[in-house]
Structures are given as structure tokens and as C-alpha cells.
Amino acid sequence: MHAAIRLGLTGGIGSGKSTVARMLQDLGAVVIDADAISRACTAAGGTAIPQILATFGQDYLTPDGALDRERMRALAFNDASAKQRLEAIVHPLVGQAIAAEAAAAEGSGARCTVFDIPLLVESRRWPAQLDRVLVVDCPEDTQVARVAARSGMAEDMARQIIAAQASRTQRRAAADLVLFNDGCSLDQLRAEVEQIGAHFGL
């Protein structure tokens, strides 16, 4: 067992995973956000940009030198090898940054380090590095409605993203804890998160 509990947190797009992460952070957990690290790597001047430029060319960068996410998403949906090539660049850099943040958290005496990883279930490397896995779960129609409300994304695009991720069944099978987040208020959700946090010293 590690000095700090290493809690994996995952859930599909629109599940409320980021909200749960913020609530755990409010309780005193150190949250390592894999998406935020990935965005930093692919922002202008990010560590992944030189390799992205060499692999995909200038067309897949924005005028300010960041990854053109919309263009890359369109390419990846039509070309599975493009997604694999991008992941081969970004994932090792994200892994290194996560490891550094985790070491810093443990060095600071954190009781619980939360690894907020959208593709945790799809990855083979993460489960062995975690003590517990918490999955935030809700029906697909709820995911689609939340994504539309949050970002205005079209329903067909949201369903494409959901279909490309692990299924609800796969996530639940990988979970030590499942938080069902549908039809509850923020206060109700917070109460559930507090109960979960209490198991991990928060």
C-alpha cells in the first residue's frame, strides 16, 4: 500500500466525473487531472507539439501553434491509425507528468491522491498503479443531454464519442466503487462523495 491512497476516478463524457473530482478536492484530496495535463502537452509550446508537427504536419496545428483539436478529432474518427499515432506521442508525456505530480503529492503527505483519468478502463497500465477505482456512471441519454447543455455539441457527435469510449458495462466491471449520478441534486451528489471520501481518510 502506498503512503497515500491512490484512487482512480473515471466516467464517460457527461457523467459528472469532473464535478466529483472537484468535490473530492474540496474534501482535501490531491487531484491529478490527466485531461488537463494532456491539454497542456498539446497547447502552443507544449511538449507534444514538435512530434505532432513532425507526424501530422502544419495543417493539424492552429495558427498559434496548438493542436487543432477539431481537425484532429475529425481525422481520428475516420482513421483509427491517426488516433493511435497521436496517442503514441501524447500518452507517454502525460504519463511522465502524472508520475511527477503523484510523487509530489505523496511527498507532501497527501492522504488521498485522485487520478482523474477519462480512459482509465481502456488503458492496461493504470489499474496496477491504483489502490481503488471509482466510476461515475449514468445513462447514455443523460450523458448526451449534459454534453449538449454544456458545450452545444450535436447529439450525433456526442454519441460517437460515447461509442468510442469503454461501455458502461466495462467501466462498472472495472470499478471498486460506482457512483450513480442521475437525477440527483448537487447537494445529494456531494453527500455521496463525502461518504466515499470518508473511506479514504478525507
Side-chain angles (χ1 to χ4, degrees):
M1 185 66 69
H2 308 275
I5 293 287
R6 296 165 68 100
L7 177 63
L9 173 66
T10 195
I13 184 172
S15 64
K17 174 182 62 64
S18 296
T19 301
V20 171
R22 284 194 297 273
M23 291 176 176
L24 287 166
Q25 192 167 38
D26 290 343
L27 293 173
V30 173
V31 175
I32 299 174
D33 184 339
D35 252 0
I37 292 171
S38 178
R39 285 194 298 273
C41 286
T42 56
T47 52
I49 294 300
Q51 285 178 273
I52 290 171
L53 177 60
T55 303
F56 295 98
Q58 190 70 44
D59 287 348
Y60 288 89
L61 298 182
T62 62
D64 68 350
L67 172 67
D68 187 329
R69 290 180 169 277
E70 289 302 318
R71 193 158 195 171
M72 183 60 73
R73 185 180 289 129
L75 176 66
F77 271 123
N78 295 309
D79 179 358
S81 71
K83 182 171 183 282
Q84 291 166 354
R85 282 179 285 149
L86 180 65
E87 289 175 349
I89 295 168
V90 175
H91 285 186
L93 297 171
V94 172
Q96 291 165 17
I98 288 173
E101 288 195 22
E106 292 191 19
S108 72
R111 290 166 294 174
C112 178
T113 303
V114 175
F115 294 75
D116 180 349
I117 303 173
L119 302 181
L120 188 156
V121 174
E122 292 88 333
S123 167
R124 294 182 180 181
R125 60 176 294 224
W126 282 112
Q129 300 185 44
L130 302 167
D131 297 316
R132 295 286 186 276
V133 172
L134 169 61
V135 168
V136 184
D137 181 49
C138 69
E140 182 175 317
D141 286 346
T142 299
Q143 292 178 260
V144 171
R146 285 177 180 157
V147 172
R150 181 177 70 200
S151 64
M153 184 183 291
E155 178 178 340
D156 60 342
M157 176 59 78
R159 292 195 187 276
Q160 275 187 306
I161 292 172
I162 291 167
Q165 296 180 338
S167 68
R168 289 179 68 195
T169 302
Q170 288 170 322
R171 279 201 197 89
R172 292 171 74 99
D176 296 294
L177 298 154
V178 176
L179 199 170
F180 187 65
N181 179 28
D182 188 46
C184 59
S185 68
L186 277 176
D187 285 342
Q188 290 169 324
L189 182 62
R190 188 174 290 106
E192 290 200 46
V193 172
E194 286 174 355
Q195 287 185 341
I196 290 168
H199 289 293
F200 301 111
L202 299 175

